[in-house]
């Protein structure tokens, strides 16, 4: 009676998809930021229990594409729709239920769905009870589950509902698998997260990160990464006065990377200008999109 399946997370930008994945996995797999559209890739987390294996996918927030990069992001959403056994539809408790339901209707789901109302701690219990009833009245979710992904509340109830919907199947991955992404991918994402933390306006959205060297030496791991921007002025902002900003990115990212790979890290960062990389098929391919 072993169960296994693909459970994919969908929602608007900033609904809390990445925070939810991290809360379920008990590991920081997806980068998080108060800014919208942080997630660009489909990020997988594999949760294994003697009775089941759940392969979760965090997907980019659903948007109208403005660049080829956005088209690639929405392509990740489309592929996640096609291979899901269960869909997790997540919304912010403070946002319009009607707007979110309209978005979820547009996905034309063919699999069972659980509607998750996130950030439950932001509204009163009475308001949440009314919201849950209104969400149930939609009639297209097999369950409506309030959670606080940030505070890890409601996660146990959510897992119970997910396992109930999983098909009977053997595990897809070995027991010790946490994700199908490489360490290099997560290192690049951790650096990118610090750019979201430290810079305002358009800078994080014009930026991507690629790891060009990952060398395990006796006492430490040497990592070299390139921060790609679209304009010279952005390069100057990332570098900062006398290199102050790029040092701050490196210092903060190194703390997370060392925790993640459990080794000392020597991190070297460079900034490169690649005009209009977000609309260039060759660059997008090179940068893993």
């Amino acid at each position: 009676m072993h169960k296994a399946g693909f459970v994919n997370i969908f929602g608007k930008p900033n609904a809390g998809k990445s925070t939810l994945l991290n809360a379920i996995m008990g590991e920081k797999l997806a980068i998080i930021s108060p800014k919208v559209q942080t997630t660009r890739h489909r990020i997988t987390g594999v949760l294994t229990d003697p009775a089941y294996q759940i392969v979760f996918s965090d997907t980019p927030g659903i948007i109208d594409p403005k660049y080829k990069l956005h088209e690639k992001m929405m392509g990740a959403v489309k592929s996640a729709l096609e291979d899901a056994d269960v869909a997790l539809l997540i919304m912010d408790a403070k946002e319009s239920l009607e707007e979110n339901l309209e978005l979820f209707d547009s996905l034309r789901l063919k699999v069972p769905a659980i509607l998750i109302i996130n950030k439950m701690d932001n509204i009163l219990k009475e308001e949440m009870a009314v919201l849950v009833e209104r969400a149930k009245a939609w009639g297209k979710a097999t369950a409506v589950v309030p959670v606080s992904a940030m505070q890890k509340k409601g996660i146990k109830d959510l897992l119970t509902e997910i396992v109930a919907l999983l098909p009977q199947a053997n595990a897809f991955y070995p027991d010790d698998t946490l994700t199908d992404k490489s360490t290099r991918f997560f290192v690049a994402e951790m650096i990118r997260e610090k750019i979201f933390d430290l810079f305002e306006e358009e800078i994080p959205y014009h930026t991507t990160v690629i790891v060009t060297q990952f060398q395990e030496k006796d006492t430490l791991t040497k990592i070299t990464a390139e921060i790609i921007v679209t304009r010279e002025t952005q390069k100057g902002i990332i570098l900062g006065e006398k290199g102050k900003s790029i040092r701050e990115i490196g210092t903060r990212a190194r703390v997370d990377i060392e925790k993640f790979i459990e080794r000392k890290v020597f991190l070297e960062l460079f900034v490169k200008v690649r005009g209009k990389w977000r609309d260039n098929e060759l660059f997008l391919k090179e940068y893993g999109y």
Side-chain angles (χ1 to χ4, degrees):
M1 288 291 286
H2 187 274
K3 290 184 156 198
F6 292 84
V7 177
N8 303 339
I9 310 167
F10 304 97
K12 288 165 78 170
N14 238 8
K17 296 180 296 298
S18 300
T19 310
L20 178 69
L21 177 69
N22 293 342
I24 290 168
M25 295 301 301
E27 290 276 352
K28 188 174 176 182
L29 291 183
I31 67 172
I32 51 173
S33 163
K35 298 182 178 78
V36 298
Q37 289 172 38
T38 312
T39 303
R40 290 179 183 164
H41 297 267
R42 203 176 151 181
I43 296 170
T44 306
V46 183
L47 188 68
T48 302
D49 177 272
Y52 61 80
Q53 186 178 79
I54 310 171
V55 184
F56 288 99
S57 268
D58 176 23
T59 62
I62 299 161
I63 51 167
D64 285 328
K66 290 189 176 70
Y67 300 94
K68 277 201 170 76
L69 170 64
H70 290 167
E71 287 169 18
K72 302 271 183 195
M73 287 157 66
M74 291 309 97
V77 174
K78 190 170 180 287
S79 72
L81 284 168
E82 286 163 3
D83 66 24
D85 291 304
V86 179
L88 301 184
L89 310 174
I90 184 168
M91 63 165 282
D92 184 327
K94 283 277 196 186
E95 291 210 341
S96 159
L97 176 66
E98 287 69 26
E99 254 180 55
N100 277 279
L101 294 182
E102 200 177 308
L103 178 75
F104 298 146
D105 276 327
S106 75
L107 297 176
R108 299 202 175 103
L109 290 168
K110 297 179 178 73
V111 294
I114 296 170
L115 179 54
I116 299 164
I117 303 175
N118 189 26
K119 308 181 187 179
M120 64 189 270
D121 39 324
N122 286 350
I123 66 170
L124 297 168
K125 270 187 183 174
E126 297 76 19
E127 288 177 65
M128 179 55 85
V130 172
L131 190 55
V132 167
E133 285 313 308
R134 284 172 57 214
K136 282 180 179 172
W138 179 47
K140 294 180 186 176
T142 56
V144 177
V145 184
V147 305
S148 168
M150 192 71 83
Q151 295 182 9
K152 299 182 181 170
K153 288 181 188 165
I155 301 300
K156 206 173 167 186
D157 292 343
L158 176 59
L159 278 172
T160 303
E161 296 289 353
I162 293 168
V163 173
L165 294 173
L166 287 179
Q168 282 182 33
N170 293 325
F172 299 100
Y173 292 94
D175 288 359
D176 58 352
T177 305
L178 184 65
T179 180
D180 63 353
K181 293 285 187 203
S182 68
T183 305
R184 276 177 177 242
F185 170 83
F186 288 109
V187 166
E189 286 288 273
M190 285 169 198
I191 298 164
R192 200 166 66 83
E193 181 181 55
K194 302 313 162 204
I195 296 165
F196 268 87
D197 289 348
L198 291 166
F199 298 94
E200 293 301 318
E201 306 310 326
E202 91 271 6
I203 293 283
Y205 301 104
H206 285 253
T207 307
T208 195
V209 178
I210 47 169
V211 173
T212 55
Q213 184 187 32
F214 191 98
Q215 227 178 354
E216 301 217 341
K217 296 185 177 285
D218 291 343
T219 55
L220 54 73
T221 299
K222 189 182 180 200
I223 299 170
T224 307
E226 290 175 0
I227 298 170
I228 311 293
V229 292
T230 56
R231 293 197 292 272
E232 283 292 338
T233 49
Q234 295 163 349
K235 180 178 178 177
I237 293 166
I238 294 275
L239 289 170
E241 198 180 338
K242 294 179 181 170
K244 189 183 170 198
S245 296
I246 198 164
R247 278 198 303 275
E248 181 68 11
I249 296 167
T251 302
R252 291 192 186 195
R254 197 178 65 247
V255 173
D256 281 5
I257 297 164
E258 286 182 342
K259 198 172 162 191
F260 187 73
I261 68 172
E262 297 178 335
R263 285 200 88 199
K264 279 294 278 171
V265 165
F266 174 77
L267 178 63
E268 203 171 17
L269 299 177
F270 297 94
V271 188
K272 285 199 173 173
V273 180
R274 293 284 181 271
K276 298 188 176 174
W277 70 264
R278 297 181 301 170
D279 249 334
N280 184 307
E281 200 69 49
L282 284 173
F283 283 147
L284 288 167
K285 205 167 183 181
E286 186 189 335
Y287 303 154
Y289 294 104

